[in-house]
Structures are given as C-alpha cells and as structure tokens.
Amino acid sequence: MEDVYSYGFDRRFAQFEKRLNEAFRRANVAYDEDTHRLFIYACRLASLSAITGDDGQRHRVDILLADFRRRVLGHMLSLLTEQGDVDLELVSDLKRPVERIFKDAISVLTETFRNNYPFQKLEATLSKRPLALVLGGGGGTGYVFLSVLNQLEDVDITPDLLVGTSMGAILGMFRAHKMRWSLSGLDRILAGLKLADVVTPVPGIPHFGFPGSFELKLRSALSHFVMKDNMPMRFNTTDIPFRVVVGGITDQKAVEAYRSLVPQSEKLSGFRFFRQAARSWISKVIKVANLPVKAISIGGHIDDQSIEVIDAVGFSAAVPGVLHYDIENPSLERAAGWHRLFERESVYGLFDGGVVDNCPAKAALSTFRNEHIADGLPYVLSLNSFGSQMQGHWPLKALALMAHETGKTGGDLSDRVIRFSRVLSPINIVPKLKDLRQAIEMGGVQSADFIDKIQSELRPVSPPKCFKKLSNSTIS
C-alpha cells in the first residue's frame, strides 16, 4: 500500500479497508461477517489521530495508539498479495491476534480518558466514517455535480463537511445553506438569472481581488438566496460546515505587474469578447499559475467567522485576467476579516481557487484534523468535471490540463473520485433550464455506478462481538 501519512491521518488503513471490502464483495463463498467487522474497526481505530471529549476539547491519541497502529499495519500488510489484493484465506488466521491487540488498545483508551469519552461515542466513531464532499472547479462543467447532490439526498446521505473551489464553491454554498437538499430552489434561481446579472464588462478597482476584464457580481445576483435569519450567511451559520479554497499571490510586485496584462474595459464591447478573447485569457491564467501562489482554505479560522460566505465564493470563482471580484470599499466592516486574512496568510491578491488546487481534498483533511467537525478518518468523495478527461470545449483544454495537474494530489488523497467527461461548456456559467437538466441527466448517468459503492462504504458497520463485550466499560 502507498505510504500516505499526511494532514493528520494515516490513510493506509483506509486503503486497506477499501481493498478488504472489495475482496469480501467479490467472494463467492460464505465468510465470517464478524471477522470482517473486526478488521474494519481495527483499521478505523488505528487511523484515529484525535478524539473530541465530552469536555469539548480535542485530545491527541496518535502517540497513544502508535504501538497498536504498528502491529495492525504489520498484520494488514501480511494479507496482501503481490497484486495488492487481500488474500481472504489468510484473514481468518489473523482474527485472534488482531482481536487481542484491538481489545488492548481499547483498554488503553479507557484508562487514559476516563469519564471524558463514553464508550458509545467511540462506537459511533468507529461504526461510520464522516463524509467530506469536495467539489472542484470548471465553470459550467460543474453543473453535473448536482446529480450527485440529488443522488446522495435520495439515499439519505448528508455530508459532514463541504469543500469547494471556483464553481464547486458556488454549488457548495447552496448545498451548505440547508441541511436538506432540493434542486427546486436552484431551478427557481437560474430561471430568473441572465448572464448580465452575474457578469458585467465594467470591472472595479482591485482591492483584495485580482484584476480581470469582467466583474463577477455574485453578491447582487445570489446573496439574497442564501440568507440566514435575514442576515448574510457566514461560515458559522451554514447548516453544513463549509470551506472555500481560494488562490493567493504572495508577491506584491507580481500583483502590480500583472495589471498591465489585463485589457482595459473601455476597449471591450459587450459579451461577444467572452469567446473571442478566450486564448488571450488562458495565457494570462497560466502566467498567474506560474507566479508565487498558494492555496488558502477559508472558513475555519476564528477570524474567518466575520467573512460573508458569498464574498469567499466570489474570490474563489474569479478567474485571473477574466473575472474580477472584490469588495467595493475596503474600509467597510465586512472587509475587516479580509484584512486579517491577508496579514495571516501573507498574500496581496486573491483569485480562482481552481488555478492552485482544483481538487481540495487536502483542505478537507486539514479541516477534520484541526477542527471539531467529527472524529475518525473522513471519507473523502471528490467531484471532478474539468480535467484531462473533459471532452471537447477547445480552446479551454489547456486550462483543463492545468486543472488536472493541480488536482492530482487531491485525487490521490480521496477515497473516491467521480470524473465527469460529458459536461456543459465551461463558459456556460448561467445555463438555461434545459441545459441545466441536461447537465444533471448527463451527470446522473456517469455517476450512477459510483453511488451504490459509496452508499455501501458509508453505511454504518455493526460492532464485532469482542467490542460488544466491552460495552459496559466507559472510555474516560
């Protein structure tokens, strides 16, 4: 198995659990279900890096479980064939040694966290992995993601965390707004929108954002659809925890120099230039990607709680050189959080998050590690509509290939990646209803085979018998 220990989680156990499940699924003979459950619980216990006690504090357990992790990993590796599959004939032979070290590890936790971590809470942590849903960018290609949101809702799966970049941030904002998802609300929004409501060829003076030929008017177009208690939605008021990834320039001179590359708005004549200038814009985006840049996850830091979600989403969707988003007056109260973010991250301009990380699984794992979202190793499901698999849509293929490169690490860190090849055009950012329904239909066809597997992998697992015998104990 690949040695992946990053962002606070040892993902080798998730890899083994996936292969173990696939081996049992393919088996044509009856097997000991209790053994299957034991190995799953052992993998999930070994992957724990921290737990949240009844005192509300986060407690590290990775060092405490280090010996257990090492011994479990040794047993897991001994079960793998040269092809990397799990040899089920050897699994039953290891049941007793794995059960013994599993019970010892539970005893260690019980002794260490007495009266602070109920046994029932540990069972809940090990029985079900929390879901992190990661939505990548790609303009209009991202509307296929709506099919997955619908399918997950149909099987009663609600994400524990949403992470979005670019168009994925826009769609993620709508999903995070309410605990239950319904496409009908988005239908009504798009039915009343025109491209001119969202994009205008009169960009303002950049304060926090990056210069572009057009101004992205997300606030005036969409903010009233995502209000909470008649107030702009902030990161601490979303129904589902939500994080937005943006790109940041770390070189002030580079920001100033880049302004000379952007055409002046008075030289443009309406939206026909949206297509005509595509190649010029692509070259500018690629130049930005080669500048000193970094990916920034917004929403988790205490200073981010004053930031309105719509503003973070706007910056995340602002393609450098093409779409400009900003806060009109940097002295406004709502700008205070951005001043603090610039100081904290040492950046001088913000732009499209997809340019630096088009599959922000890293941000999802870091959020679970650093914040009180949920205990246990998260199940990362990533959606990708703008990569090397995208069909047609020239001349934007160059950007798709760049997005593919920036999303490689996130793909490797994900448990599942659904890659969509049949999509709407990237520039179709405000589709007609018939196009939206076509995107959802195309997405549903391409993701259908994944949903059953995802549902199976996220289904709660009943505890093994040895765990039930310990149920009268209390981890404190």
Side-chain angles (χ1 to χ4, degrees):
M1 289 184 292
E2 182 184 358
D3 186 1
V4 180
Y5 189 86
S6 55
Y7 311 102
F9 299 100
D10 190 337
R11 295 190 57 81
R12 291 173 294 184
F13 296 102
Q15 295 169 359
F16 181 85
E17 180 182 330
K18 183 177 180 179
R19 297 181 189 186
L20 181 70
N21 290 335
E22 289 173 349
F24 277 119
R25 193 180 298 120
R26 291 194 303 263
N28 295 319
V29 296
Y31 65 90
D32 183 356
E33 188 173 345
D34 188 66
T35 300
H36 187 188
R37 293 172 178 173
L38 171 65
F39 275 73
I40 289 177
Y41 269 58
C43 283
R44 294 180 181 181
L45 181 62
S47 68
L48 274 184
S49 61
I51 58 175
T52 305
D54 281 352
D55 58 3
Q57 299 298 310
R58 196 83 165 145
H59 303 278
R60 287 188 59 179
V61 297
D62 50 349
I63 298 176
L64 189 67
L65 296 174
D67 183 62
F68 169 69
R69 181 181 296 109
R70 177 185 58 78
R71 295 169 70 183
V72 169
L73 183 61
H75 288 313
M76 303 305 177
L77 292 175
S78 71
L79 294 173
L80 295 179
T81 66
E82 292 183 0
Q83 292 73 33
D85 298 322
V86 175
D87 188 342
L88 290 182
E89 293 184 1
L90 299 177
V91 170
S92 59
D93 296 336
L94 285 179
K95 180 177 182 179
R96 287 189 179 277
V98 170
E99 182 178 293
R100 184 169 55 253
I101 60 176
F102 176 74
K103 291 165 69 175
D104 289 344
I106 296 294
S107 298
V108 170
L109 285 175
T110 302
E111 186 64 29
T112 305
F113 296 100
R114 189 176 304 277
N115 299 325
N116 194 24
Y117 199 69
F119 196 85
Q120 293 78 5
K121 196 170 186 178
L122 178 63
E123 180 179 335
T125 296
L126 300 182
S127 67
K128 185 178 184 296
R129 293 175 63 186
L131 170 62
L133 181 59
V134 175
L135 299 93
T141 69
Y143 285 108
V144 292
F145 298 164
L146 296 174
S147 63
V148 176
L149 298 184
N150 289 345
Q151 290 167 321
L152 293 178
E153 184 71 16
D154 288 343
V155 296
D156 201 29
I157 294 177
T158 300
D160 296 276
L161 172 70
L162 292 156
V163 179
T165 188
S166 196
M167 176 57 82
I170 296 176
L171 299 177
M173 172 181 65
F174 284 104
R175 181 63 190 92
H177 182 230
K178 294 182 178 180
M179 188 64 68
R180 307 304 302 185
W181 166 254
S182 173
L183 185 60
S184 60
L186 193 57
D187 270 352
R188 291 193 299 271
I189 293 170
L190 288 175
L193 274 186
K194 297 179 182 178
L195 182 61
D197 298 325
V198 181
V199 179
T200 174
V202 186
I205 299 173
H207 296 297
F208 300 103
F210 222 63
S213 301
F214 294 85
E215 185 170 3
L216 188 60
K217 307 289 288 186
L218 280 191
R219 187 176 188 83
S220 59
L222 300 179
S223 63
H224 52 290
F225 293 111
V226 286
M227 303 287 281
K228 300 295 288 188
D229 298 325
N230 296 318
M231 296 290 290
M233 186 168 70
R234 301 179 187 272
F235 285 100
N236 59 354
T237 63
T238 58
D239 278 12
I240 299 174
F242 181 43
R243 301 293 176 263
V244 173
V245 172
V246 302
I249 297 283
T250 59
D251 187 332
Q252 186 175 12
K253 292 182 178 179
V255 175
E256 296 171 352
Y258 187 81
R259 293 180 180 180
S260 63
L261 300 175
V262 181
Q264 299 297 312
S265 59
E266 59 265 22
K267 295 180 182 179
L268 301 176
S269 178
F271 293 103
R272 68 178 183 273
F273 280 88
F274 210 88
R275 290 178 179 273
Q276 294 175 2
R279 284 185 173 86
S280 173
W281 289 331
I282 289 169
S283 68
K284 294 178 176 61
V285 174
I286 293 174
K287 287 180 180 179
V288 169
N290 291 323
L291 294 176
V293 298
K294 64 187 297 188
I296 304 169
S297 177
I298 301 176
H301 194 277
I302 188 171
D303 289 341
D304 297 346
Q305 303 315 304
S306 64
I307 291 176
E308 296 178 17
V309 172
I310 191 73
D311 288 332
V313 169
F315 286 120
S316 182
V319 183
V322 184
L323 296 175
H324 161 77
Y325 186 87
D326 223 318
I327 296 173
E328 298 83 356
N329 186 347
S331 65
L332 291 174
E333 182 181 351
R334 86 175 214 262
W338 293 106
H339 287 294
R340 290 191 290 269
L341 181 140
F342 270 53
E343 183 177 356
R344 183 177 80 236
E345 299 290 343
S346 299
V347 294
Y348 299 92
L350 302 176
F351 60 91
D352 190 328
V355 175
V356 289
D357 190 352
N358 204 48
C359 183
K362 292 180 291 185
L365 290 171
S366 296
T367 299
F368 272 96
R369 178 195 63 193
N370 298 326
E371 303 175 41
H372 297 184
I373 302 295
D375 290 344
L377 176 64
Y379 182 100
V380 181
L381 170 60
S382 295
L383 308 182
N384 181 337
S385 63
F386 195 58
S388 59
Q389 81 283 353
M390 190 181 73
Q391 299 174 0
H393 306 299
W394 292 91
L396 298 175
K397 192 70 174 179
L399 292 186
L401 291 173
M402 185 177 71
H404 172 72
E405 290 301 315
T406 66
K408 275 186 175 179
T409 298
D412 292 340
L413 292 172
S414 302
D415 291 272
R416 290 279 180 188
V417 181
I418 304 180
R419 295 181 171 87
F420 299 88
S421 57
R422 296 181 59 239
V423 294
L424 297 183
S425 168
I427 65 174
N428 194 0
I429 58 176
V430 184
K432 298 178 180 178
L433 284 181
K434 66 178 182 64
D435 294 332
L436 178 67
R437 291 175 181 135
Q438 179 188 13
I440 296 171
E441 182 179 349
M442 290 189 299
V445 171
Q446 295 173 87
S447 60
D449 290 342
F450 290 91
I451 298 301
D452 287 343
K453 294 178 181 178
I454 293 167
Q455 185 180 14
S456 174
E457 290 162 352
L458 289 174
R459 185 176 293 120
V461 178
S462 299
K465 293 177 182 177
C466 67
F467 191 84
K468 293 179 180 179
K469 292 179 180 178
L470 299 170
S471 60
N472 292 328
S473 301
T474 301
I475 296 179
S476 54

